[in-house]
Amino acid sequence: MKMMINSIQKSVIRIHTLSRASVCRGLSSVSGPKVCVVGGGPAGFYTAQQLLKARQDAVVDIYERLPVPFGLVRFGVAPDHPEVKNVINTFTQTAHHDRCSFHGNVNVGKDVSIEELRQAYHAVVLSYGAEGNRSMGILGENLPGVFSAKDFVGWYNGIPANKELCPDLSCETAVILGQGNVALDVARIILSPLDMLKKTDITQHALEALATSRISRVLIIGRRGPLQIACTIKELREMVNLPNTRADMLLSDFEDIGETLKDLPRPRKRLTELLIKALNERNDKAEKSWSFRFCRSPVEVLAASDGKRAAGIRLAVNKLEGSGESVRAVPTDKLEDVNCGIIISSIGYKSIPIDPAVPFDHRRAVVPNDTGRVQDVSGLYCSGWVKRGPTGVIATTMNDSFDTARVLLQDMDTGKLDLSIKKPGAQAIAALLQTRGVRTVSFTQWEKINAEEERRGKPHGKPREKLLDVEDMLKIAWS
């Protein structure tokens, strides 16, 4: 009798073990919905998080071009904003979910097509962000010494493609075109005392370049006025409080602004009051200065006498027509020339087409969609910047991605997505990639890269020293 009971117990344990094993394989053989997310940044992870939470049978695979996850949280957030990067902890929990898998080192559109993904999954969500630069469309913008803010940020934040940027910081004046948060991030990094940056995850080569920088003046140019400035109060306050710097703005830019102050919405009012406070405070002991220049638009990048690099920028002085947020900047005949050694264009990122099979609005630089459903392509969705354009902060992307996930879930519930069709999911894509010689990086393998970066940062008192070479990343991941 005792032997019979032991035998039954062993059988039960074996059945339970087999059941757990099937769960850990990501339910690839179960008929629940299989969803593919293209892009391992905030939009991708937030979309995956919502899908996994809402449906206990959903399986989500995240495909990312680089061997490392987290997109703009890793590569876009300023090094001196570590608190913003805490969201990585949430993304890591999602990546460790039994029904979620991360597949790094997969270039969707090249290694595997969108159509192949659509055949393998019930739904495909495009969340690949905005890796292109908006052009200024002016003479001289391709001269050495002119950079996009995206590339400059990538240089100090460790994007592999930007590691060779080598900006010349030996000049006195830098000009930044644009007055959004990214523009202020760049200005702050250029002017920050080195001691403030040494303990961050800024790249070592950027830290060394900034140590020898001779830039003492940064002009932040905007085409409209102080009442339309695009940054947030947090970013502006950081500029105002930056040690050893002073604000050096033009009083004429603030004429009559006091009369409209009382009628402004509260967020705009607080921002404007802080601007006025910075205007009126003087710190004559400061060695460096920053300044907003309003109602100015770039007309031409001026070349040095040898024609080989940028030496200045010509600006049109604008007049404003209309009122409030909808005010328009209209160029006048008046021009101003500013001498400078480096020009950084922070006029916006833009998404680029990923695959000929995906419709793309080239004028707006987004995938045309209706609340996340891609136009005229069933089973295809989008979230984040490729859906709405490069605007907002991480919380904006979170809400946007949750909205896309809700639409997708609604389509599952109403039968708009046919879940009765069995889809192979990652199993089919893995086989395809193998035949094409593409080796993926799992989240566990990314964690090897993460551990190595943290190890390299420790002797310098930094949270990490980012690897800048994809081949080095892959070597460590696959070791």
Side-chain angles (χ1 to χ4, degrees):
M1 184 72 165
K2 187 175 180 182
M3 288 177 63
M4 197 162 99
I5 290 170
N6 287 341
S7 176
I8 292 169
Q9 285 176 335
K10 285 177 182 177
S11 297
V12 169
I13 290 168
R14 184 171 177 272
I15 291 166
H16 180 66
T17 304
L18 287 170
S19 175
R20 281 191 64 200
S22 68
V23 171
C24 292
R25 282 194 296 269
L27 301 177
S28 58
S29 60
V30 179
S31 59
K34 291 185 175 63
V35 180
C36 159
V37 174
V38 179
F45 271 98
Y46 278 129
T47 305
Q49 176 188 324
Q50 192 73 0
L51 293 171
L52 293 165
K53 181 181 176 182
R55 283 197 67 126
Q56 300 306 306
D57 61 345
V59 176
V60 181
D61 292 312
I62 301 172
Y63 291 87
E64 165 58 42
R65 180 172 54 87
L66 289 169
V68 295
F70 310 137
L72 276 184
V73 177
R74 175 181 168 97
F75 294 125
V77 173
D80 57 347
H81 285 173
E83 72 286 352
V84 180
K85 301 184 186 187
N86 288 338
V87 71
I88 283 174
N89 298 328
T90 303
F91 297 161
T92 298
Q93 288 177 11
T94 299
H96 282 155
H97 195 289
D98 284 343
R99 291 179 281 115
C100 183
S101 297
F102 174 81
H103 307 271
N105 197 43
V106 179
N107 194 341
V108 173
K110 292 184 179 178
D111 297 334
V112 60
S113 71
I114 292 294
E115 186 53 37
E116 287 167 333
L117 292 174
R118 289 181 66 219
Q119 292 298 319
Y121 291 90
H122 292 101
V124 175
V125 184
L126 304 175
S127 305
Y128 63 87
E131 59 176 309
N133 297 311
R134 291 194 179 276
S135 169
M136 291 186 285
I138 61 173
L139 190 66
E141 70 174 303
N142 295 318
L143 281 168
V146 181
F147 302 94
S148 72
K150 184 187 79 69
D151 291 347
F152 194 84
V153 169
W155 168 71
Y156 64 66
N157 264 346
I159 294 181
N162 301 132
K163 64 181 179 179
E164 307 291 348
L165 202 67
C166 298
D168 183 355
L169 307 180
S170 63
C171 55
E172 178 187 332
T173 300
V175 164
I176 301 173
L177 301 169
Q179 295 180 332
N181 282 348
V182 175
L184 267 65
D185 280 346
V186 171
R188 194 178 65 256
I189 294 300
I190 289 174
L191 294 175
S192 285
L194 273 192
D195 287 344
M196 288 179 62
L197 298 176
K198 282 179 179 176
K199 303 303 180 184
T200 73
D201 65 358
I202 191 170
T203 58
Q204 193 60 30
H205 66 260
L207 199 58
E208 290 166 2
L210 289 165
T212 61
S213 170
R214 294 173 60 190
I215 297 174
S216 59
R217 177 177 179 243
V218 176
L219 299 181
I220 309 165
I221 312 293
R223 59 190 174 85
R224 298 195 293 173
L227 295 179
Q228 292 80 39
I229 193 169
C231 63
T232 60
I233 194 165
K234 177 183 181 292
E235 298 281 345
L236 178 57
R237 188 179 291 117
E238 286 178 324
M239 286 303 300
V240 171
N241 295 332
L242 195 61
N244 197 32
T245 67
R246 68 179 186 277
D248 184 22
M249 289 182 277
L250 302 176
L251 283 169
S252 58
D253 282 338
F254 293 84
E255 286 177 0
D256 304 323
I257 206 170
E259 297 174 14
T260 59
L261 199 59
K262 64 180 184 301
D263 298 322
L264 294 175
R266 189 168 183 270
R268 176 62 66 184
K269 183 180 179 182
R270 290 176 62 219
L271 194 63
T272 308
E273 286 173 340
L274 185 56
L275 269 176
I276 293 170
K277 181 183 176 184
L279 174 74
N280 293 326
E281 285 184 354
R282 300 293 299 179
N283 180 7
D284 294 327
K285 293 182 180 178
E287 297 174 354
K288 298 179 180 181
S289 70
W290 58 271
S291 174
F292 290 115
R293 287 289 185 270
F294 297 103
C295 298
R296 306 288 190 275
S297 295
V299 174
E300 179 184 353
V301 174
L302 305 174
S305 55
D306 62 5
K308 291 184 178 179
R309 61 171 294 106
I313 188 160
R314 180 162 291 158
L315 304 170
V317 179
N318 300 329
K319 64 179 180 180
L320 300 181
E321 294 183 353
S323 61
E325 300 295 329
S326 61
V327 73
R328 292 190 311 117
V330 180
T332 67
D333 293 333
K334 186 178 178 182
L335 299 173
E336 289 180 356
D337 290 351
V338 177
N339 294 326
C340 58
I342 184 170
I343 298 164
I344 300 168
S345 171
S346 185
I347 59 172
Y349 295 26
K350 71 172 183 178
S351 296
I352 56 178
I354 194 173
D355 188 299
V358 179
F360 194 79
D361 183 335
H362 290 271
R363 185 183 64 82
R364 294 176 57 223
V366 296
V367 171
N369 68 94
D370 178 13
T371 60
R373 296 183 184 94
V374 174
Q375 184 178 297
D376 300 327
V377 187
S378 63
L380 192 60
Y381 301 81
C382 56
S383 66
W385 283 3
V386 75
K387 170 186 173 184
R388 71 178 191 278
T391 58
V393 293
I394 290 174
T396 320
T397 294
M398 177 185 72
N399 291 326
D400 170 89
S401 301
F402 285 179
D403 287 344
T404 292
R406 276 192 286 270
V407 165
L408 202 164
L409 290 161
Q410 183 184 354
D411 288 353
M412 290 179 182
D413 293 340
T414 60
K416 192 169 184 178
L417 278 179
D418 188 354
L419 302 185
S420 67
I421 303 171
K422 190 173 181 180
K423 295 281 188 173
Q427 191 175 355
I429 301 304
L432 270 179
L433 293 173
Q434 188 173 11
T435 63
R436 294 165 188 175
V438 178
R439 189 176 175 187
T440 63
V441 172
S442 69
F443 200 81
T444 302
Q445 289 170 329
W446 140 249
E447 289 177 323
K448 290 184 184 179
I449 299 171
N450 182 50
E452 176 63 16
E453 290 185 339
E454 290 177 345
R455 186 190 69 78
R456 293 187 184 194
K458 204 167 185 179
H460 305 286
K462 300 173 70 175
R464 70 178 62 246
E465 186 60 53
K466 289 176 185 171
L467 294 170
L468 305 179
D469 189 271
V470 169
E471 291 304 316
D472 289 344
M473 293 176 184
L474 296 177
K475 186 177 178 182
I476 291 165
W478 297 334
S479 62

